[in-house]
Amino acid sequence: MRRILQAVITTLFLLPVATHAASPDAASIAKQGLGDKIAPCSSCHGADGGGNSAAGFPRLAGLGKTYLAEQLDAFASGQRANAVMMPIAGAMSDEQRQAMAVYYSRLPVPTARSTGTDTGDIPAAGTALAEHGRWADGIPACVQCHGPAGVGVGEYFPPLAGQPAGYIEAQLRAWRTGKRPGGPMGLMASIASQLHDDDLAPVAAYFAAQTPATHKTEGDEHE
Ligand code: HEC
Ligand code: HEC
């Protein structure tokens, strides 16, 4: 009886460990992908998670863990509609999506962009909108939430600095057409709906040309 009990207890203890060991860890999914279902994240988001400006793949390194996890869940559920990311996120378990979010949130923000940067001229209209907003239309300055030069603030306000211009513009359009969930309190859906079509490219150019912060902002230390 005692032996059986002991065996049961041992099995119970081993079970979670065994399942854990069987599922590849986040670093290996990032670098090698998952069988033929998931291409390595690094093939698009860069070996250092710094993204790829030319291709318009966003940086993931150093973004908030909660933010990243929510994006992966939204791709998996199809609420954030993107043909490339939906099948990738959908092929992962809840635990794997969470693990990927933790993994990328812990990677240091790349000091120099390995993939080049958008350093085109910043239209004055882009600077004005980003730094001062446009109160007549109820649009606050983007930097009020995204931090000075868009370096990002804590868990919920992602960095815009150095993200590819095409990516930033595509996100603003996605909110305007209901292809991306509004985020906390629907803030971005409402801001994007106030923007005019000809606001998008200038403000995207402004943030794409900013240098990603190399220091961690307050709040990033949260686990
Ligand atoms: C074939 C290229 C490709 C691969 C492989 C890929 N991604 Fe992506 N990823 C993209 C693209 C393109 C976007 C932008 C989607 C959009 O516009 O909504 C993106 C967006 C994201 C975002 C949203 C970032 C943000 O700032 O909101 C996250 C998170 C993400 N990917 C995580 C991953 C993870 C984790 C993996 C590996 C398991 C991965 N991606 C593999 C191309 C890729
Ligand atoms: C009131 C606060 C607030 C203001 C002001 C604001 N944002 Fe945001 N923004 C957010 C939040 C919160 C998110 C995260 C949304 C989510 O979780 O889906 C976000 C996300 C974004 C993203 C997606 C980043 C990524 O990695 O995918 C872009 C692009 C963006 N904002 C652009 C802008 C621009 C441009 C402006 C100014 C016109 C602006 N934001 C003003 C709160 C704000």
Side-chain angles (χ1 to χ4, degrees):
M1 184 60 194
R2 200 146 157 222
R3 279 202 142 171
I4 295 174
L5 206 71
Q6 224 162 38
V8 170
I9 291 170
T10 319
T11 320
L12 284 178
F13 264 99
L14 286 178
L15 260 181
V17 179
T19 357
H20 195 80
S23 73
D25 68 356
S28 107
I29 295 180
K31 290 172 194 148
Q32 278 134 42
L34 201 58
D36 54 6
K37 285 195 295 184
I38 301 179
C41 319
S42 60
S43 64
C44 293
H45 293 284
D48 57 0
N52 182 321
S53 284
F57 302 142
R59 155 165 79 92
L60 306 177
L63 270 65
K65 179 193 62 174
T66 313
Y67 172 79
L68 287 172
E70 275 170 8
Q71 301 317 306
L72 288 171
D73 289 349
F75 286 129
S77 72
Q79 270 188 295
R80 181 168 171 184
N82 179 263
V84 178
M85 279 307 299
M86 283 193 316
I88 293 175
M92 288 188 276
S93 66
D94 291 354
E95 290 75 20
Q96 284 168 334
R97 287 196 294 273
Q98 183 66 28
M100 295 317 297
V102 171
Y103 172 82
Y104 278 111
S105 72
R106 287 183 179 160
L107 288 190
V109 176
T111 44
R113 245 149 305 147
S114 40
T115 51
T117 174
D118 302 309
T119 45
D121 288 340
I122 305 171
T127 307
L129 193 55
E131 296 181 357
H132 306 292
R134 193 168 58 233
W135 287 104
D137 290 337
I139 305 170
C142 316
V143 298
Q144 279 200 352
C145 290
H146 290 280
V151 296
V153 179
E155 278 289 311
Y156 294 100
F157 301 102
L160 304 177
Q163 290 292 32
Y167 173 76
I168 295 175
E169 196 175 330
Q171 302 317 301
L172 296 170
R173 280 188 203 289
W175 277 304
R176 286 160 70 80
T177 52
K179 293 204 169 108
R180 186 173 164 167
M185 296 180 286
L187 288 173
M188 274 315 296
S190 109
I191 289 169
S193 74
Q194 304 298 318
L195 294 171
H196 304 157
D197 259 339
D198 54 8
D199 287 330
L200 309 187
V203 80
Y206 171 88
F207 285 113
Q210 307 303 315
T211 312
T214 54
H215 65 276
K216 288 234 159 193
T217 50
E218 254 179 87
D220 284 354
E221 303 305 322
H222 294 303
E223 240 314 278

